[in-house]
Amino acid sequence: GYKKIEALQLHTYTGDEVLEARPWVIPGWMMRKCLTVLAGQPGVGKTMLLHMMAYALVTGKSICGRQVIAEETGNVLIVAAEETHNEIRLRIKALEKYYGQPVGDKHKIFYR
């Protein structure tokens, strides 16, 4: 048997729609419940930036002048296919030292 496929629902833009503010986690960079892709050439610092974002999301610190929305802080999971556990720990430790604030007990960074 075949599954019944629902018809594609279309919407028409009229200009009268009610607009909602974007649900930012990091304004201009990361929205709640949205996929965020960071792409670039090898060696330009993508992984370090992602570690910095993880630290900011856990601690509420700003990153590159962008403040994490306070109520959006929480736990972070880093899934790293190319980094060793030691490399992840070294980077997080460097961020703690730079910012003068440990990750803490309220929120945690998990990695795999």
Side-chain angles (χ1 to χ4, degrees):
Y2 290 98
K3 282 182 158 181
K4 183 179 178 182
I5 298 174
E6 289 187 35
L8 181 64
Q9 186 179 14
L10 299 176
H11 302 272
T12 302
Y13 176 79
T14 65
D16 295 326
E17 291 82 6
V18 175
L19 302 177
E20 298 176 13
R22 291 182 177 109
W24 291 115
V25 174
I26 301 176
W29 283 6
M30 181 184 293
M31 285 195 297
R32 185 180 333 115
K33 296 183 180 181
C34 290
L35 176 66
T36 301
V37 176
L38 179 63
Q41 296 295 319
V44 296
K46 298 179 301 292
T47 302
M48 189 64 220
L49 179 60
L50 289 172
H51 285 93
M52 292 169 68
M53 290 171 76
Y55 177 83
L57 289 166
V58 168
T59 62
K61 292 284 191 181
S62 65
I63 173 175
C64 299
R66 300 192 184 249
Q67 183 63 51
V68 174
I69 305 299
E71 56 271 5
E72 297 294 341
T73 60
N75 295 327
V76 172
L77 171 63
I78 297 173
V79 179
E82 298 177 355
E83 302 296 319
T84 65
H85 290 181
N86 188 62
E87 185 65 24
I88 293 168
R89 289 189 294 261
L90 284 168
R91 290 175 184 207
I92 294 169
K93 183 56 75 179
L95 289 164
E96 288 179 323
K97 185 176 181 181
Y98 176 81
Y99 283 102
Q101 178 179 340
V103 168
D105 297 326
K106 184 176 181 183
H107 302 300
K108 298 192 180 315
I109 296 176
F110 300 95
Y111 54 89
R112 167 127 182 138

